[in-house]
């Protein structure tokens, strides 16, 4: 079966005090071929852990992940062959040229030397990198590095792309490169899952959205479905409403929700001006943009 | 294992590293330029310094003018030695007398180099008159020591002259009081002096050359944010680690080779020989650096480079930044330095416990190679074999730490989770890392334990056997058992405790009862090029005596039952089951048999224990049960005991104990039985295919 499936994924981490933390709890979703699924949530919600389990970078404590028909636990190499992985802060080998890096990763994906060279040339043309293809990565600009990274993730022409916070910390131009890339890949029929906490970006990019909080998916569906279900217009408000309607998970009480992470503006920067902040009683005194 | 992918990783890492200025400086510039320069400089500085001190004026403390007069009179009688009449400066001209109230304090406070006092003596006839002096010297101070030696030398010369004069007066031949004349020929060569410093230097260079690449290829990837993308590639971690690991080994060896080459060149062309000779004593003719040992030294350094590189990679694999890695590396360097320094102490020999001391044995091997000492094959085997074993353990550890999720993504607390039992998943078999690490640690421990037991038992063979009977189950079964339990590993499966089908029992009886024939013939063959020294044969006498004296059941328990059960559980159980999952059958079998043979610590028994080990591994591999191997091992050892106790058995088989070879009938019969046994075990047990 094509696409990406997470089936009751669970990940438990040990904590320094000897207890355990359920970073991901019973996560279930399905991303059909040719769609973009956005995993949205604040920092520490479990987005990155989920994506790492999908890539086979970490072993799930429970549940299954299936990518392009391969079970990650049973057939990790086939899964790794069918995914491209990218994050905003992925590094490059400073002393290798763009071409060297592309050839290296192509070879690691099982291509022969001539195939790898051809693929590198092809990607350099596709992403318009001929001018700096033979320069060492240490001397490239951020945008050029971003393009090189994108090329690297596409080196094996994978059917699925896993993008962990692909735009985090990027400047406007690099951000634009990344967003265009994601749309083009979707149009080319690839299955894409991305995590972000920029809700606006998700709103404009994703076919389906899953809102996650404390390791659990609160709700998933198209933007329209989410809006209809909650009666709220903006993703920020939908998210906050969902969190507040939940029975208090752990020690979290509704009053303490706009915690340091939320109050620092992950939602507010991209989430619109403060006058659109949720007007529910419990949040008026702790609106996300409230400097307090 | 995909060799081409490992090569891809290797080539990329080599290019990446060699493009880095820091690697070039640490690996090429430092060993090629800095060390020889430092060496020349320090040797020259030392020789200049000691030469200067030897010619300097000296200040001598004295209590009063009367003593000064006595001493001056005495010293003024100094004459130039017969072989050095030109440029002779009498010591008296170089002495500055200083009158001080307290001689000891004056020397201690370095007001004077040394001090002299004249002790009261009886006034007798001129021919028997004696002057008695006391020199105060602080021997740990170069200047004080040198001053005292110069005064002593001068006084000895004067005394000898007086003796000569007195003997002439008495008409006595000098030979009367000199019945023995001793001459010394100094065989110190520049390479034997180098042998004192170069091994430790080479080992340090190998380690330091490996440090930077080891950090760069592990923690460096982490810090640059490239590790995650690498781990997402469809390449098994072991291949990534091997590629990187080979890079680190290459760079370490490159550093060592360049350093050795530049030291050799310094000695060969740079006149270091003269300087070393000047400080270390006269060298013999044709005293040059022994170029022929360089390839042997480099070969010997390979397993050492493997060991340190793997150790460094394993340690750096835990670090997430350069800084963190540097903190982790300090203890590794200490761990390398301390045994290296122990071995480098004067008088240490490459024997006994030193043979298996990690790092230390390599220092001694290199030292002996350089000084031209004759080395025995068993010494090479023990040093290289044990180093390979330690290296194997370290490589296994490196593959285990590299890319582990706790190391990749978590905070420092996660390090503890590596050892937290409640976080372990149940597994059927131990990892190669766990098994090989335990075996690598057990190897020197078992060697030392045997030495301790021999001392404890005070040469009483029965006590040694009894102590071994306690230690073997502990070290070979109990501790691995606890490890397996702690790591939640299926003990019955790992130790292959299930019962086999009857076919394998038969095979075990046949193999176990015929292996001694192969053993005897291998010994006979080996005798041609590796004769057993008489001392070793003699040392076996107490054992033979004990075997004959003690009750048979006790001897069978000590020699046959306990070793058969415990060694099989460790080697064919614990170790084989870990390798079985990760290696090709032949590689696993050869490794297990080789390590089994190495654990017998005797080069003469290596071949025979290796062959026995192969047969036992084969039995265990095919039957998927430990028991046939235990039975065969028991029979093999029991037959040896019985043959040594009851000569009738040998007579029955027409075996002449003095003859080199067994009778042809026995050989053919034994081989036929063995072949039948191996043939019976030719098919793997049902279910074996499915799980492999």
């Amino acid at each position: 079966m094509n696409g990406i499936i997470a089936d009751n994924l669970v990940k438990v981490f040990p904590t320094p005090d000897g207890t355990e933390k359920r970073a991901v709890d019973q996560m279930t979703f399905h991303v059909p071929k040719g769609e973009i699924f956005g995993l949205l949530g604040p920092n520490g919600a479990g987005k990155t852990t989920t994506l790492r389990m999908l890539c086979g970078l970490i072993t799930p404590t429970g549940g299954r992940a299936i990518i392009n028909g391969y079970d990650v636990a049973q057939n990790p190499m086939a899964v790794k062959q069918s995914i491209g992985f990218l994050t905003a802060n992925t590094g490059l080998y400073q002393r290798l040229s763009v071409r060297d890096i592309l050839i290296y990763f192509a070879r690691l994906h099982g291509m022969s030397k001539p195939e790898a060279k051809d693929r590198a040339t092809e990607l350099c043309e596709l992403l318009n990198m001929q001018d700096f293809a033979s320069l060492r990565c240490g001397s490239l600009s951020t945008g050029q590095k971003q393009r090189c990274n994108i090329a690297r993730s596409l080196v094996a022409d994978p059917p699925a792309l896993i993008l962990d916070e692909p735009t985090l910390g990027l400047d406007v131009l690099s951000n634009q490169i990344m967003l265009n890339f994601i749309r083009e890949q979707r149009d080319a029929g690839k299955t894409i899952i991305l995590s972000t906490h920029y809700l606006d970006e998700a709103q404009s990019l994703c076919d389906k959205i899953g809102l996650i909080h404390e390791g659990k998916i609160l709700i998933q569906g198209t933007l329209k479905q989410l809006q209809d279900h909650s009666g709220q217009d903006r993703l920020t408000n939908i998210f906050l409403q969902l969190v507040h309607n939940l029975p208090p998970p752990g020690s979290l009480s509704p009053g303490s929700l706009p915690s340091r992470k939320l109050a620092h503006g992950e939602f507010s920067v991209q989430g619109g001006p403060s006058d659109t902040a949720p007007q529910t009683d419990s949040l008026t005194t702790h609106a996300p943009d409230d400097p307090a | 294992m995909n060799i081409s992918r490992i090569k891809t990783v290797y080539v990329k890492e080599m290019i990446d590293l060699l493009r880095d200025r820091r690697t070039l400086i640490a690996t090429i510039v430092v060993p090629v330029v800095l060390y020889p320069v430092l060496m020349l400089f320090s040797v020259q500085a030392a020789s200049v310094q000691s030469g200067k001190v030897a010619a300097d004026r000296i200040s001598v403390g004295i209590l009063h003018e009367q003593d000064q007069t006595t001493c001056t009179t005495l010293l003024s009688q100094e004459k130039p030695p017969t072989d050095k009449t030109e440029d002779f400066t009498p010591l008296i001209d170089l002495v500055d007398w200083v009158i001080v109230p307290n001689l000891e304090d004056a020397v201690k406070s370095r007001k004077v180099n040394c001090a002299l006092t004249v002790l009261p003596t009886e006034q007798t006839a001129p021919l028997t008159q004696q002057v008695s002096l006391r020199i105060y010297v602080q021997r740990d101070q170069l200047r004080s020591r040198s001053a005292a030696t110069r005064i002593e030398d001068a006084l000895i010369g004067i005394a000898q002259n007086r003796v000569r004069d007195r003997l002439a007066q008495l008409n006595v031949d000098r030979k009367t009081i000199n019945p023995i004349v001793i001459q010394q020929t100094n065989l110190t060569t520049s390479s034997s002096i180098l042998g004192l410093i170069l091994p430790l230097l080479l080992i340090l260079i190998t380690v330091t050359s490996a440090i930077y690449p080891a950090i760069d290829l592990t923690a460096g990837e982490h810090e640059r944010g490239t590790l995650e993308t690498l781990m997402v590639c469809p390449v098994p971690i072991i291949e990534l680690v091997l590629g990187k690991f080979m890079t680190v080994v290459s760079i370490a060896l490159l550093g060592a080779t360049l350093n050795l080459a530049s030291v050799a060149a310094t000695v060969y062309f740079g006149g270091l020989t003269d300087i070393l000779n000047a400080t270390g004593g006269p060298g013999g003719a044709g005293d040059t650096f022994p170029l022929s040992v360089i390839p042997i030294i480099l070969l010997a350094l390979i397993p050492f480079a493997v060991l340190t590189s793997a150790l460094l990679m394993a340690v750096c694999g835990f670090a997430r930044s350069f800084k963190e890695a540097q903190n982790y590396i300090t203890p590794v360097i200490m761990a390398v330095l301390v045994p290296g320094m122990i071995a480098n102490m004067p008088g240490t020999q490459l024997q006994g416990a030193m043979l298996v001391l990690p790092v230390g044995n390599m220092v001694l091997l290199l030292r002996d190679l350089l000084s031209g000492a004759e080395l025995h094959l068993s010494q090479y085997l023990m040093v290289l074999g044990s180093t390979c074993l330690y290296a194997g353990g370290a490589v296994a550890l490196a593959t285990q730490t590299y890319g582990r999720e706790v190391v990749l993504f978590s905070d420092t607390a996660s390090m503890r989770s590596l050892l937290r039992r409640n976080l372990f998943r149940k597994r059927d078999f131990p990892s190669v890392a766990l098994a090989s690490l335990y075996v690598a640690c057990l190897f020197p421990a078992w060697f030392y334990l045997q030495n301790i037991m021999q001392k404890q038992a005070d040469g009483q063979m029965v006590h040694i056997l009894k102590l071994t009977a306690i230690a073997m189950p502990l070290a070979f079964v109990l501790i691995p058992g606890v490890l397996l339990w702690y790591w939640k590993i299926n003990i019955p499966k790992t130790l292959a405790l299930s019962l086999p089908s009857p076919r394998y029992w038969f095979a075990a009886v046949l193999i176990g009862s015929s292996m001694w024939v192969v053993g005897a013939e291998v010994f006979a063959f080996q005798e041609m090029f590796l004769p057993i020294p008489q001392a070793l044969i003699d040392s076996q006498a107490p054992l033979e005596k004990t075997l004959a004296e003690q009750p048979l059941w006790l001897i069978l328990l000590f020699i046959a039952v306990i070793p058969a059960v415990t060694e099989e559980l460790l080697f064919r159980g614990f170790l084989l089951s870990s390798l079985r999952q990760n290696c090709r059958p032949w590689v696993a079998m050869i490794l297990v048999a080789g390590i089994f043979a190495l654990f017998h610590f005797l080069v003469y028994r290596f071949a025979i224990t290796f062959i026995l080990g192969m047969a036992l591994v084969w039995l265990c591999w095919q039957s998927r049960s430990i028991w046939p191997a235990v039975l065969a091992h028991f029979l093999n050892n029991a037959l040896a005991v019985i043959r040594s106790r009851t000569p009738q058995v040998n007579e029955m088989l027409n075996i002449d104990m003095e003859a080199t070879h067994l009778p042809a009938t026995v050989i053919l019969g034994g081989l036929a039985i063995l072949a039948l046994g191996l043939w019976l075990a030719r098919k793997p047990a049902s279910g074996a295919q499915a799980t492999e």
Side-chain angles (χ1 to χ4, degrees):
Chain A
M1 188 175 175
N2 286 336
I4 298 173
I5 297 169
D7 178 13
N8 272 315
L9 277 180
V10 177
K11 182 68 194 180
V12 178
F13 283 123
T15 56
D17 54 19
T19 56
E20 291 178 348
K21 183 194 171 202
R22 288 178 91 81
V24 173
D25 197 2
Q26 311 251 306
M27 187 83 75
T28 298
F29 55 80
H30 173 214
V31 191
K33 186 175 183 295
E35 280 194 7
I36 302 179
F37 184 78
L39 269 182
L40 269 67
N43 288 344
K47 305 183 296 286
T48 299
T49 307
T50 308
L51 296 189
R52 283 173 177 167
M53 282 193 281
L54 291 178
C55 297
L57 281 173
I58 54 180
T59 326
T61 316
R64 287 195 313 162
I66 293 166
I67 292 183
N68 207 28
Y70 300 110
D71 188 315
V72 176
Q74 310 285 330
N75 209 339
M77 289 304 139
V79 166
K80 288 178 177 180
Q81 189 72 47
S82 16
I83 56 171
F85 180 77
L86 190 58
T87 76
N89 46 18
T90 306
L92 293 167
Y93 298 107
Q94 306 287 307
R95 300 183 289 268
L96 294 190
S97 71
V98 175
R99 248 184 95 75
D100 289 340
I101 286 182
L102 295 179
I103 292 173
Y104 176 53
F105 279 94
R107 297 276 289 143
L108 291 184
H109 279 83
M111 291 183 206
S112 69
K113 229 179 219 166
E115 279 171 351
K117 283 182 180 167
D118 290 348
R119 182 65 183 154
T121 314
E122 198 180 317
L123 284 167
C124 288
E125 281 169 16
L126 187 76
L127 287 154
N128 208 7
M129 303 192 293
Q130 296 98 320
D131 293 346
F132 56 90
S134 51
L135 295 184
R136 289 192 190 178
C137 288
S139 61
L140 300 184
S141 69
T142 317
Q144 288 171 328
K145 280 183 187 160
Q146 197 63 35
R147 272 190 272 173
C148 178
N149 250 326
I150 290 171
R152 185 199 46 73
S153 71
L154 291 177
V155 85
D157 197 15
L161 288 175
I162 295 177
L163 312 174
D164 187 14
E165 310 260 12
T167 54
L168 183 74
L170 294 188
D171 61 40
V172 182
L173 284 176
S174 307
N175 198 42
Q176 203 53 44
I177 297 172
M178 186 58 83
L179 295 183
N180 288 341
F181 155 72
I182 296 171
R183 286 198 190 94
E184 281 164 19
Q185 294 305 313
R186 188 250 322 265
D187 296 343
K190 295 200 193 298
T191 314
I192 298 170
I193 179 165
L194 64 87
S195 74
T196 181
H197 53 227
Y198 297 145
L199 302 188
D200 261 6
E201 188 178 290
Q203 210 160 346
S204 71
L205 206 59
C206 300
D207 298 302
K208 275 195 195 132
I209 289 163
L211 292 179
I212 69 171
H213 182 57
E214 304 215 320
K216 287 194 169 81
I217 288 208
L218 302 179
I219 192 170
Q220 58 177 312
T222 59
L223 181 62
K224 178 91 176 55
Q225 284 169 332
L226 265 54
Q227 285 167 335
D228 289 350
H229 180 269
S230 62
Q232 297 281 352
D233 195 30
R234 302 190 61 82
L235 268 175
T236 314
N237 298 351
I238 297 173
F239 180 83
L240 289 171
Q241 188 191 30
L242 279 165
V243 169
H244 285 268
N245 289 347
L246 277 179
S251 61
L252 189 76
S253 62
S256 69
L257 176 81
S259 58
R260 184 182 55 79
K261 283 167 188 159
L262 289 180
H264 272 83
E266 286 96 347
F267 284 85
S268 58
V269 172
Q270 302 266 326
S274 57
D275 57 353
T276 62
Q279 297 301 312
T280 51
D281 281 347
S282 60
L283 280 171
T284 42
T285 51
H286 297 283
D289 283 344
D290 188 336
Chain B
M1 198 93 73
N2 184 324
I3 303 293
S4 131
R5 266 196 310 239
I6 297 176
K7 200 180 130 202
T8 305
V9 176
Y10 174 75
V11 171
K12 177 257 158 188
E13 297 295 5
M14 282 303 271
I15 293 174
D16 198 6
L17 273 176
L18 291 175
R19 280 184 185 169
D20 186 14
R21 221 178 316 130
R22 284 175 292 186
T23 317
L24 295 180
I25 292 171
T27 317
I28 297 172
V29 179
V30 170
V32 169
V33 181
L34 188 66
Y35 286 91
V37 167
L38 270 181
M39 201 154 105
L40 274 177
F41 179 76
S42 56
V43 171
Q44 259 169 344
S47 73
V48 166
Q49 182 67 13
S50 58
K52 191 163 162 280
V53 169
D56 265 357
R57 292 190 71 80
I58 52 177
S59 60
V60 179
I62 205 102
L63 280 175
H64 38 73
E65 280 184 14
Q66 197 184 341
D67 272 7
Q68 187 183 337
T69 319
T70 314
C71 293
T72 325
T73 321
L74 203 58
L75 281 173
S76 58
Q77 294 166 16
E78 191 189 10
K79 286 178 184 154
T82 44
D83 57 342
K84 199 183 167 190
T85 41
E86 289 169 26
D87 312 328
F88 172 74
T89 320
L91 187 68
I92 189 76
D93 296 350
L94 296 171
V95 173
D96 297 324
W97 302 99
V98 182
I99 292 178
V100 291
N102 185 317
L103 297 177
E104 286 185 27
D105 288 349
V107 177
K108 274 186 193 162
S109 61
R110 303 194 197 168
K111 203 179 269 175
V112 292
N113 296 131
C114 64
L116 270 178
T117 179
V118 181
L119 301 174
T121 44
E122 286 177 49
Q123 288 296 321
T124 56
L127 264 177
T128 51
Q129 180 60 47
Q130 206 177 27
V131 183
S132 185
L133 297 167
R134 181 187 294 279
I135 300 183
Y136 293 84
V137 55
Q138 197 172 350
R139 288 228 164 256
D140 58 330
Q141 295 297 326
L142 177 67
R143 285 182 178 278
S144 178
R145 189 173 62 223
S146 164
T149 311
R150 285 163 70 191
I151 292 177
E152 271 170 13
D153 287 349
L155 289 172
I156 288 170
I158 296 161
Q160 279 176 347
N161 288 340
R162 281 198 181 177
V163 169
R164 200 182 50 219
D165 294 347
R166 288 178 182 183
L167 288 175
Q169 278 186 36
L170 292 168
N171 256 337
V172 178
D173 191 339
R174 204 183 157 81
K175 284 175 188 157
T176 318
I177 61 151
N178 260 351
I180 300 172
V181 178
I182 301 170
Q183 292 191 340
Q184 206 177 49
T185 306
N186 189 356
L187 293 179
T188 309
T189 60
S190 58
S191 68
S192 68
I193 296 175
L194 275 179
L196 298 176
I197 42 171
L198 194 56
L200 203 57
L201 191 65
L202 270 178
I203 275 171
L204 272 178
I205 290 282
T206 316
V207 178
T208 46
S209 305
I211 288 176
Y212 179 71
I215 300 181
D216 193 62
L217 268 53
T218 52
E221 291 250 23
H222 220 119
E223 196 169 279
R224 289 188 296 263
T226 48
L227 189 56
E228 222 172 350
T229 44
L230 192 62
M231 303 304 291
V232 175
C233 289
V235 182
I237 289 182
I238 179 96
E239 290 178 12
L240 290 177
V241 172
L242 281 180
K244 285 168 174 283
F245 168 69
M246 278 161 53
T247 314
V248 180
V249 173
S250 303
I251 301 279
L253 281 175
L254 180 69
T257 312
L258 289 174
N259 188 66
L260 188 59
S262 82
V263 170
T266 319
V267 177
Y268 214 68
F269 307 114
L272 185 62
T273 315
D274 303 333
I275 294 166
L276 286 171
N277 286 346
T279 50
D287 171 26
T288 49
F289 194 80
L291 290 177
S292 55
V293 300
I294 290 182
I296 305 174
I297 290 178
L298 284 177
L299 272 180
L301 275 177
I302 292 177
F304 177 75
V306 169
L307 170 65
T308 44
S309 304
L311 210 58
L312 288 170
M313 273 190 69
V315 171
C316 297
F318 280 105
R320 271 147 294 189
S321 66
F322 254 84
K323 213 170 164 186
E324 200 182 338
Q326 277 161 346
N327 291 337
Y328 293 166
I329 270 178
T330 316
V332 176
I333 296 176
M334 292 304 288
V336 170
L337 261 183
V338 170
M341 303 275 257
I342 291 173
N344 218 29
M345 285 190 301
T348 317
Q349 292 208 320
L350 185 56
Q351 60 189 26
M354 281 295 159
L355 279 171
V356 294
L357 180 73
V359 185
N361 57 6
M362 192 55 70
V363 170
L364 288 172
L365 182 78
L366 299 184
R367 185 196 69 187
D368 287 357
L369 277 172
L370 280 167
S371 63
E374 199 167 310
L375 284 163
H376 193 266
L377 181 66
S378 63
Q379 289 173 307
Y380 280 110
L381 188 88
M382 284 303 278
V383 175
L384 297 183
S386 58
T387 307
C388 286
L389 197 64
Y390 306 143
V395 173
L397 184 69
T399 58
Q400 284 298 300
T401 55
Y402 194 80
R404 283 281 293 259
E405 61 185 70
V406 288
V407 179
L408 267 181
F409 305 117
S410 313
D411 49 31
T412 40
S414 60
M415 293 301 164
R416 269 176 275 146
S417 74
L418 276 176
L419 295 172
R420 286 255 300 275
R421 187 167 189 268
N422 58 346
L423 294 172
F424 296 151
R425 285 187 167 198
K426 282 187 180 165
R427 275 183 298 161
D428 280 347
F429 299 104
S431 61
V432 182
L434 182 65
S436 45
L437 258 185
Y438 181 67
V439 170
C441 294
L442 180 63
F443 183 74
W446 186 240
F447 187 86
Y448 297 139
L449 201 63
Q450 283 200 331
N451 281 354
I452 293 168
M453 286 192 296
Q454 289 208 339
K455 279 196 189 119
Q456 282 281 322
D458 200 20
Q460 289 282 309
M461 211 58 214
V462 187
H463 292 312
I464 296 178
L465 288 175
K466 277 182 190 161
L467 287 171
T468 313
I470 298 167
M472 272 189 114
L474 197 74
F476 285 35
V477 182
L478 197 68
I479 299 174
V482 170
L483 289 176
L484 291 175
W485 165 81
Y486 191 80
W487 260 269
K488 292 188 185 166
I489 297 160
N490 188 323
I491 294 179
K493 274 193 175 176
T494 297
L495 299 182
L497 297 179
S498 59
L499 289 175
S501 65
R503 190 176 56 205
Y504 300 108
W505 287 114
F506 286 126
V509 172
L510 296 177
I511 293 173
S513 57
S514 58
M515 275 309 291
W516 65 272
V517 177
V518 180
E521 286 309 299
V522 168
F523 259 128
F525 176 69
Q526 189 178 282
E527 191 73 10
M528 290 192 292
F529 56 91
L530 188 67
I532 301 176
Q534 190 57 40
L536 189 66
I537 298 174
D538 295 343
S539 72
Q540 295 296 307
L543 179 66
E544 303 264 337
K545 192 161 160 273
T546 313
L547 289 186
E549 282 171 356
Q550 297 296 319
L552 182 64
W553 68 268
L554 193 68
I555 293 298
L556 282 181
L557 180 71
F558 288 162
I559 303 273
V561 178
I562 291 174
V565 175
T566 55
E567 289 181 355
E568 289 316 303
L569 286 173
L570 178 71
F571 295 106
R572 259 63 69 175
F574 186 49
L575 184 60
L576 182 66
S577 62
S578 73
L579 292 171
R580 185 168 203 141
Q581 307 305 311
N582 298 289
C583 296
R584 284 161 199 257
W586 282 108
V587 177
M589 287 190 203
I590 290 172
L591 276 176
V592 170
I595 294 172
F596 172 67
L598 212 56
F599 260 78
H600 286 78
F601 300 121
L602 255 186
V603 68
Y604 308 100
R605 287 179 66 192
F606 188 86
I608 168 67
T609 41
F610 178 78
I611 294 169
L612 175 68
M614 282 302 280
L616 295 172
V617 179
W618 169 252
L619 257 179
C620 189
W621 188 280
Q622 297 294 76
S623 65
R624 298 190 83 81
S625 163
I626 197 84
W627 302 115
V630 171
L631 177 64
H633 196 154
F634 165 77
L635 283 174
N636 179 71
N637 291 13
L639 278 175
V641 171
I642 289 169
R643 282 182 60 228
S644 94
R645 277 175 71 111
T646 37
Q648 294 90 326
V649 179
N650 292 327
E651 283 167 24
M652 223 164 61
L653 291 168
N654 270 332
I655 298 170
D656 176 7
M657 291 310 282
E658 301 299 314
T660 319
H661 291 281
L662 294 171
T665 46
V666 174
I667 298 178
L668 288 176
L671 287 179
I673 296 172
L674 179 65
L676 185 65
L678 294 174
W679 179 80
L680 267 180
R682 75 196 181 283
K683 272 192 193 161
S686 52
Q689 300 294 349
T691 46
E692 262 168 41

